[in-house]
Each structure stands twice: as C-alpha cells, then as structure tokens.
Amino acid sequence: MPEARLAAGIWVSAYLKRLQLADIPAYVLRHGDDTAGAVMVKCATLNGRASLWAREWDFETDLRPWVRLSEAAEPEIDTEIARHSGRDPDLWVIEIESRDGTTLLDQPGLV
C-alpha cells in the first residue's frame, strides 16, 4: 500500500514553521500546487554557494528520502531551479539561508 502523502501546502507551512523555530530564515520563491506540488529546497550558505534538495523515490526501500541534487555557485542553482520550474508548473521552491548548510530535512517528521 502506498504511503500516505501530506498536501504540499500543509507540508510547506509546517517546514517553514520548523525553520522559524530554529532561527533559519526561509522564503517561498515559488508557490506550487497546494495539493500535489513537488517541493525543492535551495539552501544558500551566504558565501556565493548553494545546494538544491528534492525528494526522490528509492525503489529499493519504496521510500522518498530528501536527496541533494546539486551543490554549486548560487547562480547555477538558480538556473537549475528555473529549468525544473519550466517543466513542472506545480513545483514549490523554498529558499533557506544557512551558513553551515543546515536544512532540517534529515529531521524526523519531514518525510
């Protein structure tokens, strides 16, 4: 039986609140579909670099862990986000600012 999925808008709201409680600045760069939109997280480390995160299927475990898609200069990450946004009109993009690269995506409850 497939895992239950939380509506994207609710997940984003909860993630933003968790980041706020951890004093990690976060912004919605792109508002996707409230129900079924995919979510990408850009983590800007404030030194000109950033990483891009998304959930991907792990076919061996049938889970959807968060995976770092790339790490590069911030303009390169922005270009990658633009490519994904062009293909997926329902995509959410969240940007966080974290000097040490903390995203909280590996924390329990963010599946």
Side-chain angles (χ1 to χ4, degrees):
M1 175 178 217
E3 70 179 62
R5 292 186 59 184
L6 191 60
I10 294 171
W11 186 92
V12 167
S13 293
Y15 182 54
L16 293 174
K17 185 61 164 178
R18 184 175 271 192
L19 291 165
Q20 178 187 18
L21 293 171
D23 292 323
I24 299 173
Y27 317 92
V28 176
L29 295 181
R30 190 170 199 291
H31 186 289
D33 183 80
D34 286 327
T35 307
V39 179
M40 297 185 104
V41 175
K42 172 186 170 184
C43 179
T45 54
L46 307 176
N47 63 358
R49 300 200 49 86
S51 57
L52 185 61
W53 298 78
R55 291 182 73 191
E56 292 189 349
W57 283 107
D58 180 341
F59 293 106
E60 291 181 18
T61 63
D62 201 30
L63 298 175
R64 296 179 58 228
W66 284 95
V67 175
R68 184 173 53 204
L69 299 176
S70 58
E71 186 172 0
E74 198 165 351
E76 292 176 41
I77 297 297
D78 293 337
T79 299
E80 187 171 348
I81 290 169
R83 274 196 312 270
H84 284 279
S85 298
R87 290 190 304 255
D88 185 356
D90 298 331
L91 180 67
W92 286 81
V93 180
I94 309 301
E95 178 172 346
I96 65 175
E97 295 177 349
S98 174
R99 289 190 190 280
D100 65 0
T102 300
T103 63
L104 302 181
L105 294 171
D106 58 349
Q107 300 295 311
L110 286 175
V111 293

